[in-house]
């Protein structure tokens, strides 16, 4: 489903643009996008964000499952880095990794560099990180941008309230009512993607 959203964004912007991945992890979805850019969208670029230190502490008062506790889901950057190097892509300016927790790396300077957003992969698991990245991308949003949420509300965890990416997105829309999005597809395990309709 993630690549459906990726390709849909590129159909909306056939001249290409910037794709963002929040939560690179082992690099699987990052390299799906790398391959597609090399094969079909040579004018696009991809920026991946990861702390490589696991999850930060969740927002106070927001529920989360034990597997989303602080420090969980740590992946070594070396795995992604070595694949880029072995593929001859380490110095390719289209592919970039930004290291660190979002509260430190999602800067206004980086924000100002991105004027052509096409697609955003949101795979951050927790509310805090999703709030931070949504605020970061808000000025870049434009009709036609596709957003993919990997951890919208995981059916493994039967908590009935709102939490994680789901809660962050609802709060974001409440805070910025001019932003409208249409949900395009929902997977059986609740991953979903949507397209920005207005900002």
């Amino acid at each position: 489903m993630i690549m459906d959203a990726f390709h849909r964004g590129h159909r909306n912007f056939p001249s290409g643009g910037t794709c963002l991945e929040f939560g690179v992890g082992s690099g699987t979805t990052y390299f799906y996008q790398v391959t597609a850019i090399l094969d079909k969208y040579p004018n696009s670029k991809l920026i991946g964000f990861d702390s490589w230190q696991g999850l930060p502490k969740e927002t106070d008062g927001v529920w989360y499952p034990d597997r989303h506790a602080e420090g969980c889901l740590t992946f070594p950057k070396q795995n992604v880095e070595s694949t880029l190097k072995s593929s001859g892509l380490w110095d390719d300016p289209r592919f970039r990794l930004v290291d660190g927790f979002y509260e430190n790396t999602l800067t206004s300077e980086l924000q100002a560099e991105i004027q052509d957003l096409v697609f955003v992969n949101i795979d951050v698991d927790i509310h805090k990180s999703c709030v931070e990245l949504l605020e970061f991308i808000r000025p870049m949003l434009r009709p036609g941008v596709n957003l993919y949420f990997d951890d919208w509300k995981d059916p493994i965890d039967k908590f009935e309230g709102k939490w994680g990416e789901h809660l962050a997105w609802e709060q974001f829309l409440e805070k910025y009512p001019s932003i409208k999005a249409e949900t395009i597809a929902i997977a059986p395990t609740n991953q979903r993607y949507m397209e920005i309709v207005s900002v």
Side-chain angles (χ1 to χ4, degrees), residues 81-92:
E81 187 177 300
S82 63
T83 302
L84 284 170
K85 287 179 178 177
S86 65
S87 304
L89 300 173
W90 182 246
D91 295 319
D92 190 320

Side-chain angles (χ1 to χ4, degrees), residues 18-22 46-47 49 114 117 119-121 137 140:
T18 300
C19 303
L20 305 177
E21 173 152 300
F22 293 94
L46 172 63
I47 305 174
F49 299 84
I114 303 168
L117 190 62
F119 171 71
V120 183
N121 178 24
I137 67 172
M140 310 168 200

Side-chain angles (χ1 to χ4, degrees), residues 47-119:
I47 305 174
F49 299 84
D50 206 293
S51 71
W52 314 110
Q53 300 174 59
L55 298 175
K57 185 178 183 295
E58 180 58 295
T59 307
D60 287 344
V62 174
W63 182 89
Y64 61 88
D66 290 343
R67 60 196 172 82
H68 290 173
E70 185 176 6
C72 288
L73 302 175
T74 300
F75 294 88
K77 179 185 177 183
Q78 291 80 358
N79 292 349
V80 178
E81 187 177 300
S82 63
T83 302
L84 284 170
K85 287 179 178 177
S86 65
S87 304
L89 300 173
W90 182 246
D91 295 319
D92 190 320
R94 292 175 294 178
F95 308 114
R96 179 177 175 185
L97 297 172
V98 176
D99 309 334
F101 290 112
Y102 299 160
E103 63 187 22
N104 301 317
T105 59
L106 302 185
T107 64
S108 57
E109 292 78 14
L110 178 56
Q111 195 178 52
E113 290 179 28
I114 303 168
Q115 305 295 325
D116 56 353
L117 190 62
V118 169
F119 171 71

